[in-house]
């Protein structure tokens, strides 16, 4: 949510900043800006060139190209508006009264109102409605000669979260960065440094990085960097090597990242299973889980904490844990959980689930549980993310960078990881070796079955064409197909802006059925499982009210054609694994509807990847 880029070196900063912004555009894309320190002779007269535009990076790029800046130090920002509309004047970087200091900020300054009033009373003049601008003026207040010290002193007055990049006109060899709650990474080149909100913006320049931790401040010059805490203590930072391939952040032959990521799902499942699924023993070996066999056997309850799509993955995981491992499991929305009374015993195993590892609510929930002395494990995609650093163990899903704002392959990776953990738990508790082997075989065969679903994409496109003009949809399913219905509805609303409601099929008659008529179709997730007949009855209830029915059903199910207007088949699998297959047609259905409307699928309106604010 919002992206920061910074460059200091000997090359022209503008193209590097713009390229970095494009890489980070998925984090926020309603306005963008750069501040570049122009080279002048003598350097003491150097000035900061600020260029900002509302709208996409392309608008900023044209303006920057026109101005043709040559400076080799600068910061840039792509915004997801929190305080103040997405206008040019609210775009970052923000400047102090004199225009000598520029600040790009991710996060929220919670006490900005009181700081602003005090600064205005002492003569500071504000130009925007943002919370960020108070930082520029606060730093101005403390700035004499030492910019890092001024930033440090300013941050002592601030409540809230920040990832921050600061430059000053009279500091031609310095970027100051600071972090609290919003990620920052420093890419290390030869006499040049690349600051960014995430690795995708530095990957084309270097794979040597350091990750800033909360409460740290970084001074970056062409000759090197040093880190201190906000209490002014030196910190040793470890240089790490990014394990990412530059191709993984390219769209390749696909028109959208979302479609590419949908097609990567067979490989995502393979990567996640590799070296973990032990077919011969019907179990999983998960290095890094950090749970002893005794802890697993003693566990009384499992709790998943997550947001959005990751919470639906948790709901699918709940079925794995209850059916495969025989352990009661709850799924909690992080935004609620963090403010509730935590009724967690030491025999409860808590997992956070997150693609980005940076979601503010999930991080806050994680910290809340840890603060009570209870271990928190993670099912996380981004290696090096805040959650991956703060959890006590867990599993990476290894899905690779997910750039489309609507999550697809991360969901697939999350449910794969959860199925493996459930299998391991099950085998240490009640699950027999033969049951474990059967489920293991089922998991092993999933990638080729997902390929089969993907091979039917053209038929799903044709069905999407038929349904694209409806304004409302119900998505229905039972048991593990209920979260798949929720996820299918979320995908449709996110990228096509069509109203879609996910609902437990059995719950529909307790209210939502009032909505149904010939203009309100229902999408049923109806694999052949032990609630199949109940789901068919719900279809009939919809059809009795003239509602159209699109069903996702198991291959070979002829019966369902008598109850649905359209059917998309998924291959047969273990009943407890059908979610892996049924989610794929729903992703494609949403994708094709949005594509037929010509919408901006990878960057839907009002959304941003990685929600780093509350
Ligand atoms: C939906 C979507 C979001 C995220 C949610 C959690 O397509 O992407 O609902 O799933 O914001 O994000 P992570 O998994 O990064 O914690």
């Amino acid at each position: 949510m919002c992206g920061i880029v910074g460059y200091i070196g000997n090359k022209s900063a503008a193209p590097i900043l713009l390229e970095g912004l494009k890489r980070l555009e998925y984090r926020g894309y309603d306005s963008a800006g750069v501040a570049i320190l122009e080279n002048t002779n003598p350097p003491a007269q150097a000035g900061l060139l600020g260029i900002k535009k509302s709208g996409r990076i392309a608008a900023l790029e044209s303006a920057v190209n026109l101005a043709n800046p040559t400076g080799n130090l600068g910061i840039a920002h792509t915004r997801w508006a929190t305080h103040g509309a997405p206008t040019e004047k609210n775009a970052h970087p923000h400047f102090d009264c004199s225009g000598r200091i520029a600040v790009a900020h991710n996060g929220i300054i919670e006490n900005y109102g009181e700081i602003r009033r005090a600064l205005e009373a002492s003569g500071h003049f504000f130009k925007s409605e943002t919370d960020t601008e108070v930082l520029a003026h606060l730093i101005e207040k403390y700035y004499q000669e030492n910019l890092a010290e001024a930033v440090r002193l300013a941050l002592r007055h601030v409540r809230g979260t920040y990832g921050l990049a600061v430059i000053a006109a009279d500091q031609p060899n310095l970027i100051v960065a600071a972090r609290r709650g919003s990620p920052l990474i420093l890419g290390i080149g030869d006499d040049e440094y690349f600051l960014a909100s995430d690795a995708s913006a530095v990957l084309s320049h270097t794979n040597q990085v350091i990750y800033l931790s909360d409460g740290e401040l970084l001074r970056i010059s062409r000759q090197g960097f040093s880190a201190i805490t906000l209490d002014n203590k030196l910190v040793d930072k470890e240089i790490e090597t990014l394990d990412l391939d530059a191709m993984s952040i390219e769209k390749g032959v696909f028109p959208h990242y979302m479609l590419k990521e949908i097609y990567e799902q067979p490989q995502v499942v393979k990567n996640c299973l590799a070296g973990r699924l032990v077919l011969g023993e019907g179990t999983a070996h998960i290095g890094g889980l950090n749970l002893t066999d005794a802890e697993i056997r003693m566990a009384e309850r499992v709790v998943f904490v997550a947001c959005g799509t990751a919470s639906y993955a948790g709901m699918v995981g709940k079925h794995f844990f209850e059916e495969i491992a025989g352990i009661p499991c709850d799924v909690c929305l992080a935004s609620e959980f963090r403010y509730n009374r935590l009724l967690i015993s030491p025999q409860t195993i808590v997992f956070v689930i997150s693609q980005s590892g940076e979601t503010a609510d999930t991080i806050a929930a994680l910290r809340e549980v840890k603060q009570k002395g209870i271990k928190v494990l993670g099912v996380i995609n981004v290696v090096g993310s805040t959650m991956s650093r703060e959890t006590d163990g867990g599993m990476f899903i290894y899905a690779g960078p997910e750039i489309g704002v609507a999550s697809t392959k991360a969901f697939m990776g999350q449910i794969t990881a959860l199925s493996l953990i459930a299998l391991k738990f099950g085998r240490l508790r009640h699950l027999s070796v033969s049951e474990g082997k059967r489920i293991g075989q089922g998991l092993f065969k999933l990638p080729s079955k997902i390929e089969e679903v993907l091979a039917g994409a053209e038929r799903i496109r044709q069905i999407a064409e038929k349904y694209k003009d409806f304004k409302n949809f119900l998505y229905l399913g039972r048991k593990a197909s209920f979260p798949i219905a929720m996820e299918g509805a979320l995908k449709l609303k996110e990228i096509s802006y069509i109203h879609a409601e996910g609902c437990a099929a059995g719950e529909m008659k307790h209210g939502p059925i009032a909505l149904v008529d010939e203009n309100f179709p229902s999408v049923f997730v109806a694999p052949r499982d032990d609630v199949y007949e109940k789901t068919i009855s719900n279809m009939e209830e919809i059809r009795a009210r003239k509602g159209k029915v699109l069903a996702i059903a198991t291959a070979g199910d002829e019966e369902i054609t008598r109850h649905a207007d359209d059917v998309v088949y998924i291959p047969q699998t273990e009943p407890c694994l059908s979610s892996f297959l049924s989610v794929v047609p729903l992703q494609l259905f949403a994708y094709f509807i949005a594509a037929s409307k010509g919408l901006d699928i990878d960057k839907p309106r009002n959304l941003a990847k990685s929600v780093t604010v509350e």
Side-chain angles (χ1 to χ4, degrees):
M1 189 151 275
C2 299
I4 290 178
V5 190
Y7 175 75
I8 181 166
N10 299 308
K11 299 184 186 130
S12 170
I16 294 170
L17 295 175
L18 287 169
E19 190 221 316
L21 284 184
K22 286 184 205 159
R23 295 283 180 205
L24 295 183
E25 197 172 17
Y26 70 98
R27 299 177 67 92
Y29 35 82
D30 55 38
S31 51
V34 296
I36 294 175
L37 183 54
E38 283 295 71
N39 299 320
T40 50
N41 205 358
Q45 281 167 15
L48 289 177
L49 173 68
I51 305 175
K52 309 192 213 183
K53 285 284 161 202
S54 62
R56 297 293 165 85
I57 311 275
L60 176 71
E61 185 171 29
S62 311
V64 171
N65 288 343
L66 206 65
N68 195 20
T70 54
N72 41 35
L73 182 160
I75 57 175
H77 187 268
T78 177
R79 180 169 185 245
W80 185 85
T82 59
H83 296 63
T87 57
E88 202 164 300
K89 86 176 154 55
N90 287 333
H92 301 213
H94 288 285
F95 293 83
D96 67 331
C97 296
S98 65
R100 280 189 318 146
I101 297 169
V103 172
H105 166 231
N106 293 349
I108 291 181
I109 305 303
E110 287 166 3
N111 56 339
Y112 82 101
E114 62 194 72
I115 299 177
R116 181 170 175 149
R117 282 189 292 279
L119 286 166
E120 280 175 334
S122 64
H124 288 262
F125 174 71
F126 282 73
K127 295 172 266 321
S128 78
E129 301 149 279
T130 63
D131 53 332
T132 299
E133 197 183 344
V134 300
L135 293 172
H137 293 275
L138 257 187
I139 295 166
E140 175 183 24
K141 176 175 162 187
Y142 288 108
Y143 185 42
Q144 281 160 355
E145 283 172 359
N146 186 336
L147 184 63
E149 182 61 3
V151 173
R152 193 181 75 80
L153 293 174
L155 290 178
R156 291 164 74 112
H157 296 273
V158 157
R159 274 200 317 275
T161 54
Y162 47 81
L164 197 65
V166 186
I167 58 176
D170 54 358
Q171 297 284 346
N173 192 19
L174 182 64
I175 299 180
V176 178
R179 167 188 166 146
R180 181 164 177 237
S182 197
L184 278 178
I185 172 172
L186 183 70
I188 300 165
D190 291 335
D191 301 328
E192 59 179 355
Y193 291 89
F194 309 86
L195 184 71
S197 301
D198 74 46
S200 56
V202 304
L203 197 57
S204 60
H205 305 289
T206 177
N207 65 357
Q208 298 295 294
V209 299
I210 62 159
Y211 293 91
L212 227 67
S213 298
D214 276 356
E216 288 178 356
L217 185 145
L218 205 56
R219 292 176 286 224
I220 312 151
S221 74
R222 290 178 185 81
Q223 290 70 40
F225 64 88
S226 62
I228 55 169
T229 63
L230 290 181
D231 308 330
N232 217 359
K233 300 198 176 75
L234 268 176
V235 187
D236 246 353
K237 297 302 293 181
E238 189 192 336
I239 298 179
E240 300 182 37
T241 302
L242 284 175
D243 186 18
L244 275 180
D245 150 23
M247 280 308 290
S248 64
I249 54 172
E250 300 297 338
K251 243 187 308 200
V253 297
F254 291 91
H256 297 101
Y257 281 106
M258 181 180 177
L259 193 62
K260 175 186 181 230
E261 288 158 7
I262 291 173
Y263 273 81
E264 282 172 350
Q265 293 180 112
Q267 194 57 44
V268 166
V269 175
K270 272 189 209 160
N271 291 351
C272 192
L273 296 179
R276 291 160 163 171
L277 179 62
V278 187
L279 285 172
E281 296 167 31
T283 187
H285 284 170
I286 305 168
L289 194 57
N290 192 18
L291 285 174
T292 63
D293 289 358
E295 281 174 306
I296 293 175
R297 290 195 183 99
M298 300 282 286
E300 286 171 357
R301 190 173 152 229
V302 169
V303 171
F304 296 131
V305 185
C307 302
T309 287
S311 76
Y312 300 144
M315 286 166 71
V316 175
K318 170 182 165 73
H319 287 270
F320 297 148
F321 271 77
E322 294 186 346
E323 286 173 27
I324 301 176
I327 307 180
C329 180
D330 296 305
V331 184
C332 304
L333 293 174
S335 53
E336 292 293 314
F337 180 89
R338 61 181 291 190
Y339 293 114
N340 287 346
R341 266 189 90 189
L342 290 191
L343 302 175
I344 290 177
S345 72
Q347 280 76 39
T348 303
I349 299 183
V350 180
F351 284 89
V352 288
I353 307 172
S354 176
Q355 187 286 126
S356 61
E358 301 294 351
T359 303
D361 284 319
T362 315
I363 292 174
L366 182 170
R367 290 180 181 158
E368 203 52 45
V369 178
K370 283 193 71 164
Q371 196 256 332
K372 304 275 184 299
I374 291 173
K375 231 189 227 184
V376 182
L377 307 175
V379 170
I380 294 164
N381 190 31
V382 179
V383 178
S385 58
T386 304
M387 280 184 233
S388 75
R389 287 158 185 275
E390 295 193 13
T391 40
D392 301 292
M395 246 180 114
F396 284 114
I397 63 173
Y398 298 132
E402 188 179 64
I403 293 171
V405 164
S407 186
T408 52
K409 66 173 179 173
F411 177 84
M412 189 62 82
Q414 286 157 358
I415 61 176
T416 310
L418 293 172
S419 68
L420 284 173
I421 304 170
L423 186 60
K424 180 179 172 75
F425 274 45
R427 291 287 289 115
L428 287 169
R429 295 163 68 105
H430 319 281
L431 200 70
S432 70
V433 67
S434 60
E435 285 172 307
K437 281 183 176 175
R438 189 171 44 73
I439 293 165
Q441 278 297 335
L443 286 169
F444 182 69
K445 290 181 188 149
L446 283 173
S448 63
K449 295 188 177 190
I450 299 171
E451 300 276 9
E452 275 181 58
V453 181
L454 292 170
E458 176 51 23
R459 180 168 150 65
I460 298 169
R461 194 192 62 72
Q462 287 164 9
I463 294 177
E465 193 60 32
K466 196 166 148 189
Y467 283 81
K468 71 177 197 310
D469 294 322
F470 287 104
K471 303 273 180 281
N472 302 284
F473 282 81
L474 259 184
Y475 278 66
L476 299 155
R478 285 170 177 265
K479 296 184 77 177
S481 297
F482 166 43
I484 297 300
M486 300 288 286
E487 173 61 4
L490 182 63
K491 291 292 89 94
L492 187 68
K493 55 191 152 191
E494 280 182 298
I495 61 170
S496 73
Y497 318 140
I498 293 174
H499 168 238
E501 257 187 70
C503 181
E507 186 64 16
M508 168 265 293
K509 58 188 170 296
H510 297 287
I513 198 168
L515 297 166
V516 172
D517 62 17
E518 63 274 28
N519 296 316
F520 205 126
S522 296
V523 180
F524 272 87
V525 186
R528 273 276 180 190
D529 56 14
D530 56 351
V531 286
Y532 173 77
E533 286 173 1
K534 308 283 174 204
T535 309
I536 294 289
S537 305
N538 298 138
M539 277 183 200
E540 284 306 320
E541 287 156 10
I542 295 283
R543 280 158 64 89
R545 275 115 193 134
K546 300 202 178 71
K548 277 198 177 327
V549 169
L550 164 61
I552 311 300
T554 306
D557 180 1
E558 291 299 323
E559 162 74 16
I560 204 157
T561 57
R562 287 196 277 280
H563 306 283
D565 299 277
D566 293 283
V567 181
V568 174
Y569 286 109
I570 54 170
Q572 292 180 1
T573 181
E574 286 298 318
C576 68
L577 303 180
S578 68
S579 311
F580 287 88
L581 305 178
S582 56
V583 72
V584 179
L586 300 186
Q587 296 167 341
L588 286 170
F589 183 69
Y591 173 83
F592 287 127
I593 288 188
S596 75
K597 292 176 183 293
L599 295 171
D600 193 349
I601 292 177
D602 286 333
K603 300 186 197 82
R605 70 181 182 205
N606 303 341
L607 295 178
K609 196 88 182 156
S610 186
V611 184
T612 53
V613 294
E614 265 198 68

